[in-house]
Amino acid sequence: MNYPTGEKRQHYNKEYLAALDLKLAVIDREYKEVIQEKCLEIIEKFSDIKNRC
């Protein structure tokens, strides 16, 4: 599914955007912490690479 962002949102129906925002909020609550943890793991795992470049 494509979520309009920024200026593109002005071309969409407000009720449609509200429904999309609600769906995104549910996804955000469910996965945000896990995604952030995994990102930090990746950053830590490959942190030595920046010293070799």
Side-chain angles (χ1 to χ4, degrees):
M1 178 169 271
N2 187 11
Y3 288 92
T5 58
E7 293 180 14
K8 293 178 185 176
R9 290 177 65 92
Q10 68 185 346
H11 303 290
Y12 285 80
N13 176 284
K14 290 182 186 209
E15 290 81 18
Y16 176 74
L17 289 174
L20 286 180
D21 291 344
L22 184 58
K23 288 180 183 180
L24 187 57
V26 170
I27 293 168
D28 188 51
R29 280 193 304 273
E30 189 168 341
Y31 295 105
K32 186 175 184 175
E33 186 176 334
V34 173
I35 292 171
Q36 286 177 334
E37 289 172 4
K38 294 301 176 184
C39 287
L40 291 174
E41 287 177 21
I42 292 168
I43 291 167
E44 181 67 27
K45 182 176 181 176
F46 295 103
S47 63
D48 65 315
I49 290 175
K50 70 178 181 180
N51 297 328
R52 288 189 266 153
C53 293

